[in-house]
Structure formats: C-alpha cells, structure tokens
Amino acid sequence: MQVSTTPSCRRLPAGRFFLALTLAAALASTAAAQSPYATTLVAHNGAFGGAALYNDPLAVLGEPTRVANNNDPVIGTAPYHIKIVEPAYNRDLAGNKIITTLSRKSNGGGYDYGFITVKFDQPIVDDPTNPYGIDLNVFGNSFYVGNGFVSDSSDMRAYNLVGGLFAEPVVISVSPDNVNWYTYANGPYGDTAFPTQGTQWSGAQHDATGNGWTSTPTDFTKPVNPTLDAVLGVQGQQLSAANAIGMYLNSGGGTGIDLAPTGFSSIQYVRVEATAQFRDGEIDGFADVRPMTLGDSLSITPDNVDAGTRLFFQQGADLAKSAVIADFSAVADLAKLTTAPLADETALAALAGKNVLTNFALEVTTLVGDAPVAFAADYRLGVSSDYAGDGSDLQILSWSDDAWSETSFTFDATAGMALLEDWTAGEAWLAIVQTAAAPLPGDYDDNGLVDGADFLAWQRAYGGSMPLPNETASPGIVDAEDLNVWKQHFGASGAASQAVVQVPEPSAVTLAVLGIVACSRRKFRLSHK
C-alpha cells in the first residue's frame, strides 16, 4: 500500500481544521526532536543466533543499553550496569530484548548470513570537525577481559584489564539512500573496540556504599579516541578498569566510523552483517556522533600527533563555527585537553570595564591522573559569532600571576579566529577583548571613510571653535592643519588608516571641483534668503 504525502485541498469543517493544525504542530514538534539513534528497521533476513533472547532485529533500535537484568544461576536476576568489563546480555529492566546476534542459516546448498538494515530519522553528516573525524558509533557487546569475576560491587580500581579485548566482528556498510552502499570491508568492524560503558563509576561512592555505579549516563554520541585501542586492548597489561573508564572521558564507547572514505556527504542507512569470515557478533545500537563544544574534553596521544589530528570544539550557539581548534605538534604522554568558559571570579572581576567578546579556560594534563605533561600546540580561538572586524581592534589577554597581560596573535578574518602559536603552558585562561576604535584622521563626518564629504564638513566648520569628529591636528580649532590631515588620509577607511597607509593626495582637479560645489551651494543658499 502506498501512502500519499500530498495534502488534500478539500476544505475541512472548522473543528477538524483546528484539530489538523494541532496534529500538524505536534508532528512538527516531533520532527524537531530528532533522535541521535537508529529509529527504523528497514530490512533483515532472520539469520540470527539460535538463542531466542538474541533473535529480534528490533532490539538494535533506540539507545544502547545502560542497565540490564542478570540471568545467572549464582548471582540471580539482579540488575547490573553495562561496563567495559561486563557487556550487555539477557534483557533490560523493562523485560525487552537488548542485543541481536548476526549468525547464519542453511539455505539447502549453503548459508545465508544474517544482516540488519536500519535508518536514522535525519542524515548523519560527514563532518571533519567531529572528534577524530568520527561520524557514527556502532555498539555491540564486546568487553575487556579482566582478572577474575566481576559484578557491580567490584572495585574498578582493583579490577585490572589483563586479557585484551573479546570481540566478534561484524561488517558495517552505510548508504545515503538505501541504494548506493559503501562497505567497510577492511574495518572498522562492529562489536569490536570500544566496549560499551553505560554509566559513570565513582570510587567515593564505592567506598561509601559498596557499589560505585552511578545513575549518571555516559555520552553515546561521543566517540573514544581510536588510538587508545593500542593501549586498552593489549593483553597482559595491568591497567585498572577505573583508569580505563577514565580514558573514555565520559564516552559511552562504540566502534567509531568516519564517513570520509565513502565519498558520501551524508548517510541515513546503516547495515551490519555476518559473513563467512565474521559471524556470531552482537549489535546493541547505533548513534550519530555530535560535535564537541566548549565544556567538553578530548584526549590527545603521540599517535594522534603523528597523524596530524586536530581537536575541534564548536560554539554551542552556532555549531557551524569553531570556538577552539587545537593543533598539537608534540605531546609527551597520553593527555587530554579540557575546555570551558572561564569561571574564576577573581580573573573575571579583573576584566571589569573591558569589552570582553569571549573567554576560555583551557587545560592540558595527563589522561590518567591529571598531572602536568609536556606538549606544544597552536590554539585557534573563535571570536563571538557577530564580530565582523579584521582583528585590528582585538586584544588577546592571558591570566598569569594574578593579572591579565596582552599576548601576541595573528587573526584570520575569513574564519573569524585568533591564532596563538606554540603554546606550552598547561593551563591557559584567555580573554578576547575588543578595544575602542581609534579615530580615523580626516573623517570629519564620522562615516568610516575619508572622502569629499569630509572636505565639505571641514569647509563648513572652518574658522570656528566647534571640534570636528576625528579631529587630530588642532582639536577645537578648525584650520588649515585639519585640511592637511584630510589630504594625507584621503581615501582611507576604517582600520586601514591605522597603519598609516600612503594614499594619494586629492588632485588639484578634485579640490577645484569640491570648491566649485561648495561655492555653488553657498550661492544657492544666499539667493534663497
């Protein structure tokens, strides 16, 4: 059956008309609240795992699982939190199935391998400003192998990752239209790194209650730094689960997918499938990755530096514009860049009376332990979105030793960003301040341009004691010195005159014409008295 999406032109009774308006408004509101998760099951072939718990393709829709019910003969059916060392299985707290196994089924002469195709209710855009270029997260039930039995009562500080990553890869494909597809044949694969982390863990809460798992959700739309796979998934290491969770920086995990190799500007369909090589992996969900904004943190590693990875933090009010871009040329250890608006009351109070356009608190520390770390980076700082100048009226102030001081910078007017090069201080409190515009000499009508109209303004005021706007030669006396200033700056405009650019003096013909115009206007006024 086909459903028409063309509105009928038939007139509705008044009551139905207002009901239609109400429904339309409700639909518009629903459309505006788009989900970051896959919302529609488009296709599947039923080649799923043999267990009835894991054969429902609808289980992959919506938000990935954060808390599930156990189904264990020893520990019973009590709820447990999904974590990097204990993956999703069984059902959620409402009794719903939560993962689907992609397997195979016999077709008489071979096998059909399981697949699921889902759709998002909005396009997922290939956005280079997304963290590490990742645009899509795919969630399974992989996990890091620890040093023994684990439950919600386990102390993650004492529970270590020792056995690497347990993963069952599945192949991922993406499409903008469900017709043209790109397959990540060589990975990344679903149900691999990074295991799901559903909520935050607190050591203080564990010490107080015996259970450190909080109700604070992690961010499924934030990816884990891909280079950390070489750290977290190494067999034989003794990294505590608490430190590993800390390296996620509140990400909910998932396999990160960059759309750049596809050639698609955006996609809306995702397919996961088993193959002869890869089968029996599980899928829990999919998430559209969001841009980071001021207030977020991202990790940076030596491998990121070697790859030329840039860290972007967008302006919250306008995600198309960057608030901070960090280009690291060196970092001595696994590190993180934490960003936020400046909140220190003493530093803010010291800016009183200044026209502060925006401010930043940036800090680079070790990824684990928040210790100082050696690094070098270029910071690009976005000015307020309504600033349209060329940067000549800006100052960058840096807070140090309880005082603000001016910092050198260059300005990219096209991007609207100030560049601070070779920054090495771990903590940077910065403010972008707009200074009062210097007077434009010779601009006697104060319109930002030195032209013939300013000569007429000078002529009308000549010999008087009323100061002209932007009068710099002899303030309060309009005389020949003011005319010379006008000649020297004729043709200048705005901030360009601050550089004392050499401009040609007005020609004798120009002056003569202006004189004739002025005399004509004077005669006209006299003849009409």
Side-chain angles (χ1 to χ4, degrees):
M1 181 182 70
Q2 291 185 337
V3 180
S4 172
T5 58
T6 304
S8 171
C9 294
R10 182 169 59 89
R11 297 187 65 178
L12 295 174
R16 292 186 180 181
F17 175 75
F18 287 111
L19 175 60
L21 285 180
T22 302
L23 290 173
L27 289 172
S29 175
T30 301
Q34 293 175 325
S35 173
Y37 309 114
T39 58
T40 304
L41 176 64
V42 176
H44 68 88
N45 67 350
F48 304 132
L53 274 174
Y54 310 121
N55 65 0
D56 185 355
L58 291 172
V60 305
L61 299 180
E63 184 180 72
T65 311
R66 299 187 187 276
V67 183
N69 279 320
N70 267 301
N71 183 21
D72 188 277
V74 177
I75 61 177
T77 58
Y80 76 100
H81 290 75
I82 310 305
K83 41 191 168 290
I84 62 173
V85 290
E86 189 176 16
Y89 85 108
N90 198 32
R91 297 177 183 266
D92 65 18
L93 300 186
N96 301 308
K97 297 179 182 180
I98 56 177
I99 58 175
T100 304
T101 301
L102 296 171
S103 188
R104 67 181 184 179
K105 62 180 181 181
S106 174
N107 59 17
Y111 294 98
D112 292 326
Y113 291 91
F115 77 89
I116 297 173
T117 302
V118 297
K119 180 183 179 183
F120 284 77
D121 62 8
Q122 83 285 340
I124 299 176
V125 177
D126 175 21
D127 188 348
T129 69
N130 279 343
Y132 317 107
I134 293 172
D135 307 297
L136 169 71
N137 275 339
V138 179
F139 296 84
N141 78 333
S142 61
F143 62 94
Y144 292 119
V145 179
N147 60 339
F149 176 80
V150 64
S151 69
D152 276 10
S153 61
S154 300
D155 187 342
M156 294 293 101
R157 295 165 297 189
Y159 189 85
N160 291 332
L161 278 57
V162 297
L165 176 72
F166 179 85
E168 296 173 300
V170 297
V171 176
I172 300 170
S173 303
V174 296
S175 171
D177 52 15
N178 201 26
V179 175
N180 300 287
W181 287 90
Y182 177 88
T183 298
Y184 293 86
N186 298 313
Y189 302 109
D191 200 18
T192 58
F194 291 87
T196 303
Q197 179 69 31
T199 61
Q200 296 180 2
W201 187 84
S202 165
Q205 179 176 305
H206 179 274
D207 292 342
T209 67
N211 186 325
W213 294 100
T214 72
S215 59
T216 304
T218 54
D219 188 350
F220 289 139
T221 66
K222 178 181 181 178
V224 179
N225 186 335
T227 65
L228 293 178
D229 186 36
V231 178
L232 298 172
V234 176
Q235 290 193 7
Q237 67 170 324
Q238 294 293 320
L239 177 69
S240 75
N243 283 342
I245 292 167
M247 290 181 180
Y248 271 43
L249 292 179
N250 199 46
S251 166
T255 300
I257 303 296
D258 182 1
L259 295 182
T262 69
F264 302 139
S265 59
S266 65
I267 61 102
Q268 205 161 351
Y269 297 83
V270 183
R271 183 174 63 216
V272 285
E273 59 188 318
T275 66
Q277 181 182 5
F278 300 124
R279 63 185 178 88
D280 295 328
E282 281 76 33
I283 293 296
D284 189 2
F286 309 84
D288 183 4
V289 170
R290 68 174 178 89
M292 298 295 100
T293 57
L294 201 63
D296 285 314
S297 300
L298 288 173
S299 60
I300 183 76
T301 70
D303 286 343
N304 290 137
V305 174
D306 292 342
T309 302
R310 306 179 91 184
L311 303 185
F312 292 86
F313 301 86
Q314 302 304 92
Q315 297 182 14
D318 186 354
L319 293 178
K321 294 185 177 181
S322 295
V324 177
I325 302 175
D327 289 292
F328 284 78
S329 56
V331 64
D333 198 353
L334 304 179
K336 65 181 176 184
L337 170 59
T338 301
T339 71
L342 182 60
D344 185 84
E345 293 183 359
T346 302
L348 291 173
L351 292 170
K354 298 183 182 296
N355 183 18
V356 180
L357 299 183
T358 187
N359 58 61
F360 310 87
L362 310 179
E363 186 174 21
V364 178
T365 60
T366 55
L367 184 55
V368 175
D370 291 329
V373 60
F375 76 97
D378 293 345
Y379 289 147
R380 287 171 171 80
L381 308 177
V383 188
S384 60
S385 57
D386 57 353
Y387 177 77
D390 64 357
S392 61
D393 59 343
L394 298 179
Q395 289 181 323
I396 305 292
L397 303 181
S398 173
W399 180 261
S400 179
D401 297 327
D402 296 327
W404 290 103
S405 59
E406 192 168 353
T407 297
S408 61
F409 71 98
T410 56
F411 189 75
D412 181 347
T414 301
M417 304 197 80
L419 170 62
L420 306 182
E421 297 184 271
D422 295 323
W423 197 271
T424 58
E427 187 173 59
W429 292 358
L430 303 163
I432 300 181
V433 174
Q434 187 174 26
T435 59
L440 175 57
D443 181 20
Y444 298 140
D445 63 357
D446 202 25
N447 71 343
L449 178 67
V450 181
D451 57 11
D454 299 300
F455 173 82
L456 297 178
W458 169 84
Q459 185 189 55
R460 285 193 294 269
Y462 181 74
S465 59
M466 293 293 291
L468 288 167
N470 301 309
E471 187 183 0
T472 59
S474 51
I477 301 173
V478 181
D479 56 14
E481 292 185 40
D482 298 314
L483 178 62
N484 289 332
V485 170
W486 173 78
K487 290 180 182 180
Q488 293 168 5
H489 292 83
F490 183 81
S493 63
S497 69
Q498 312 305 314
V500 194
V501 178
Q502 292 295 321
V503 295
E505 290 193 16
S507 66
V509 173
T510 302
L511 292 174
V513 170
L514 290 171
I516 292 171
V517 171
C519 291
S520 299
R521 292 180 59 174
R522 186 166 181 266
K523 289 179 180 179
F524 178 81
R525 290 196 298 270
L526 290 173
S527 65
H528 285 75
K529 285 187 176 179

